């Protein structure tokens, strides 16, 4: 048994997901292998991912590996960050110029900076965030890659003992310290009894680097340079990768 651990946006969903790609994943699974998505998206998006892609993943590693869900979207494992971090972290994001933060916990909360001119009327703000008991991931976004890199570094400097901020293009995904996509895969291996050497990873962006460095890896040809530099190989897409590995 082998495992393909694939990023979603820009990787599995690069140029859309057509019948050829669906057939390739099906062929992979029918040969006794596992197909796993490892994504910065949160658990709420996983059912939509299945519906949009037409692919039943064997596992979903959401929130950059902080949550592991089975094919029925049941949580098998998760890593949480404590309540005390939520408000100070969101406040810091707002001070750095982020207009909102998505908090993934028992459900998804979008918390806005009430001082921001574009804060919607009636939106949840920091006073509401005080009632959230934990988080698996907090995400935000900025207009440019450079601004995202700046804020990622600033969060790492101030909160690096409790969280791990991961740049994902112009987005930032903040997970509990010690978590990233590589660690999520290691936790999955323990759950399903698979081996390190069974894993093949593929991704395209900065938050994929940890898993691409740790396991045998492909970088998408459309990926950022930092990803292509550290991957073992490049590929034009998941379809071609699968048929190369079968």
């Amino acid at each position: 048994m082998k495992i393909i651990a694939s990023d979603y946006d820009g990787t599995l969903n690069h140029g859309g997901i057509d019948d050829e790609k669906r057939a390739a994943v099906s062929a992979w699974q029918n040969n006794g292998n596992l197909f796993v998505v490892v994504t910065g998206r949160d658990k709420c998006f996983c059912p939509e991912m299945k519906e949009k892609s037409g692919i039943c993943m064997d596992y979903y590693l959401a929130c950059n590996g902080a949550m592991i869900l089975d094919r029925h979207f049941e949580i098998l494992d998760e890593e949480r960050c404590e309540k005390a971090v939520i408000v100070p972290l969101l406040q810091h994001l707002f001070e750095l110029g982020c207009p909102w933060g998505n908090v993934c916990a028992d459900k998804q909360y979008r918390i806005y900076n009430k001082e921001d001119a574009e804060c919607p009327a009636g939106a949840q703000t920091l006073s509401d965030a005080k009632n959230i008991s934990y988080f698996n991931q907090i995400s935000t976004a900025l207009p440019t890659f450079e601004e995202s890199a700046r804020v990622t570094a600033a969060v790492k400097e101030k909160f690096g003992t409790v969280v791990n901020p991961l740049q994902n293009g112009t987005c930032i995904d903040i997970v509990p310290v010690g978590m990233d996509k590589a660690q999520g895969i290691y936790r999955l291996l323990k759950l399903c009894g698979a081996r390190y050497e069974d894993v093949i990873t593929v991704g395209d962006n900065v938050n994929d680097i940890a898993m691409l460095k740790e396991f045998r890896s492909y970088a998408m040809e459309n990926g950022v340079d930092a990803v292509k530099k550290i991957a073992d190989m490049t590929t034009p897409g998941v379809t071609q990768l699968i048929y190369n590995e079968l």
Side-chain angles (χ1 to χ4, degrees):
M1 178 185 71
K2 293 193 287 187
I3 301 171
I4 290 177
S6 172
D7 173 52
Y8 183 71
D9 294 292
T11 303
L12 179 61
N13 188 22
H14 170 58
I17 299 176
D18 56 17
D19 288 341
E20 183 181 9
K21 193 174 292 182
R22 284 187 281 270
V25 174
S26 181
W28 178 258
Q29 293 170 319
N30 288 340
N31 272 268
N33 302 307
L34 299 180
F35 192 86
V36 176
V37 161
V38 191
T39 178
R41 301 270 196 156
D42 65 34
K43 65 179 179 181
C44 299
F45 182 72
C46 292
E48 184 179 345
M49 184 189 302
K50 178 182 177 181
E51 182 179 352
K52 285 184 173 181
S53 69
I55 297 171
C56 184
M57 320 299 175
D58 293 290
Y59 296 94
Y60 300 83
L61 274 62
C63 298
N64 288 282
M67 301 189 76
I68 301 177
L69 297 89
D70 67 14
R71 60 173 54 208
H72 306 295
F73 315 114
E74 295 294 325
I75 299 172
L76 303 178
D77 190 18
E78 63 177 320
E79 188 72 12
R80 296 179 174 186
C81 203
E82 62 184 29
K83 177 178 182 175
V85 181
I86 297 173
V87 171
L89 177 54
L90 287 168
Q91 181 65 58
H92 191 52
L93 290 173
F94 296 158
E95 291 168 356
L96 292 166
C98 304
W100 51 263
N102 278 343
V103 183
C104 177
D106 56 318
K107 60 181 180 179
Q108 187 182 89
Y109 304 82
R110 176 164 282 205
I111 306 298
Y112 283 87
N113 178 9
K114 69 177 181 179
E115 306 301 328
D116 191 274
E118 296 184 9
C119 177
Q124 293 182 309
T125 60
L126 283 176
S127 60
D128 300 292
K130 295 175 183 177
N131 299 317
I132 304 173
S133 58
Y134 69 93
F135 70 88
N136 306 106
Q137 177 173 278
I138 293 179
S139 300
T140 190
L142 291 121
T144 68
F145 187 94
E146 291 73 20
E147 288 177 89
S148 177
R150 172 185 61 83
V151 172
T152 300
V155 172
K156 181 76 171 178
E157 181 178 0
K158 186 166 184 177
F159 290 93
T161 59
V162 289
V163 300
N164 183 24
L166 301 165
Q167 185 179 7
N168 183 8
T170 57
C171 299
I172 304 168
D173 300 325
I174 304 168
V175 294
V177 67
M179 284 308 306
D180 55 35
K181 291 189 175 186
Q183 295 307 310
I185 293 171
Y186 274 123
R187 292 160 78 105
L188 175 65
L189 294 182
K190 290 182 180 179
L191 285 171
C192 65
R195 304 172 302 170
Y196 168 88
E197 54 266 32
D198 296 329
V199 179
I200 304 154
T201 58
V202 56
D204 73 309
N205 219 311
V206 179
N207 63 325
D208 299 318
I209 287 177
M211 71 174 182
L212 298 181
K213 287 177 68 174
E214 192 69 20
F215 301 95
R216 188 157 68 87
S217 59
Y218 288 79
M220 292 287 289
E221 289 179 355
N222 65 292
V224 299
D225 288 342
V227 166
K228 290 187 282 189
K229 285 179 181 177
I230 59 95
D232 298 316
M233 293 163 280
T234 60
T235 182
V238 169
T239 302
Q240 294 85 346
L241 182 161
I242 289 173
Y243 289 123
N244 187 52
E245 292 290 340
L246 278 174

